[in-house]
Amino acid sequence: MHNDPPQPATEVLRPGDCWDLLRGVSVGHLAVTVDDHPEIFPVNYKVDDESLVFRTGEGTKLRSAGGHSAVALEADGFDASTRTAWSVLVKGDAVVLEPSPELLTGVGLTLFPWQAGQKDHFVRVVPASVTGRRFGVTSPLTWWNQLDVAPRAAGG
């Protein structure tokens, strides 16, 4: 038995707090539907007002985001000093943007994908909902002890 301090309740974040957290990181996971099945892709994004913009090349992400497709983008973070984590989920429509001077000198100027290659398409996620939560991270020792007494498979 451990004497870990009680964990605070999960905090439901206000939309403004979610946007502040999203501005502090640049990588999220984009969920799209491909042939009636979910697919998830890591993307580098930037917050532009209260929407998200990412760059991509030709391929599945672009085809799935074509038109006004329903998507979700999730981003997470962890503060080691306070042992708290957060998760934000943006649900909305993906809209492929036409290149414009405003786009290329605005958010597009600072949006650099990690993977090399031609990524000349910009996609905006226009949110229908923005939700998030922040929570304390449990000590790993809590889980190790429970696993030590867990039943094991025969021969293990």
Side-chain angles (χ1 to χ4, degrees), residues 15-51:
D17 295 328
C18 292
W19 287 112
D20 289 342
L21 291 167
L22 289 168
R23 284 182 188 91
V25 297
S26 63
V27 176
H29 293 91
L30 178 75
V32 298
T33 302
V34 178
D35 299 328
D36 296 324
H37 292 81
E39 295 282 342
I40 298 176
F41 300 94
V43 293
N44 300 87
Y45 70 86
K46 287 287 186 181
V47 174
D48 185 31
D49 292 321
E50 289 193 348
S51 68

Side-chain angles (χ1 to χ4, degrees), residues 11 25 56 64 77 103:
E11 175 188 3
V25 297
T56 190
S64 299
L103 175 66

Side-chain angles (χ1 to χ4, degrees), residues 129-150:
S129 71
V130 179
T131 58
R133 61 192 186 114
R134 187 182 343 253
F135 51 93
V137 176
T138 304
S139 166
L141 296 176
T142 302
W143 298 104
W144 290 337
N145 188 38
Q146 292 174 5
L147 291 176
D148 288 343
V149 296

